[in-house]
Amino acid sequence: MKRLIIMMSILFMAFSSTVNAENYYEWIEGGTSVDLGDMATIDLDPEFIFLDGENTQQMAEDYGDYVSSFEIGSIFAMDESQTWAVFFDYEEIGHIKDAEKEEIDAKALLKSYKDGAKEDNKTREPGERFYVTGWDIEPHYDEETHRLTWSLLLEDENKETFLNYNTLL
């Protein structure tokens, strides 16, 4: 039996939440409900703005970020002083058994993230590179909610710290 999995990432970014970004994205202003495809509906607070999957992918591409084609939406704060965003990805990858939680190797995963960032930085321009510095929250599985959660600490070339929080449902 396959289970649908939604990945939600919260990334605290150095740049403004893109409210001032190019205006050709089709922003949806808060105070309404928005759909994440046919996966879920979000009641968007008036203080936030939303981009659907296509616009989220376009923005990522415009910023030189990796586009997986699994992006289904993103949320940003209207307040330009807030530097966070929430990204929703969806990939039907199957069922994760509760017993697999014992197989989580945080040390190996962290090395993989660091190595991946190192490789990714080879394609980024100076000033756009990020480095994984460690765990904020080591990967852990919650049997009650069936969620796998982890949070990475990153920094840019100016040693400014970022947080990348992930939840798999």
Side-chain angles (χ1 to χ4, degrees), residues 19-61:
V19 173
N20 287 330
E22 292 79 0
N23 291 324
Y24 57 87
Y25 303 119
E26 295 178 29
W27 296 100
I28 298 173
E29 293 189 19
T32 189
S33 292
V34 294
D35 290 325
L36 292 174
D38 58 358
M39 303 301 127
T41 300
I42 297 174
D43 292 330
L44 193 62
D45 189 278
E47 297 174 9
F48 304 123
I49 54 177
F50 176 82
L51 287 178
D52 65 12
E54 184 178 323
N55 281 276
T56 297
Q57 290 174 15
Q58 183 62 55
M59 181 188 296
E61 188 175 296

Side-chain angles (χ1 to χ4, degrees), residues 70-83:
F70 299 120
E71 296 85 1
I72 59 173
S74 54
I75 298 175
F76 301 84
M78 291 284 290
D79 180 348
E80 294 177 23
S81 69
Q82 294 189 28
T83 57

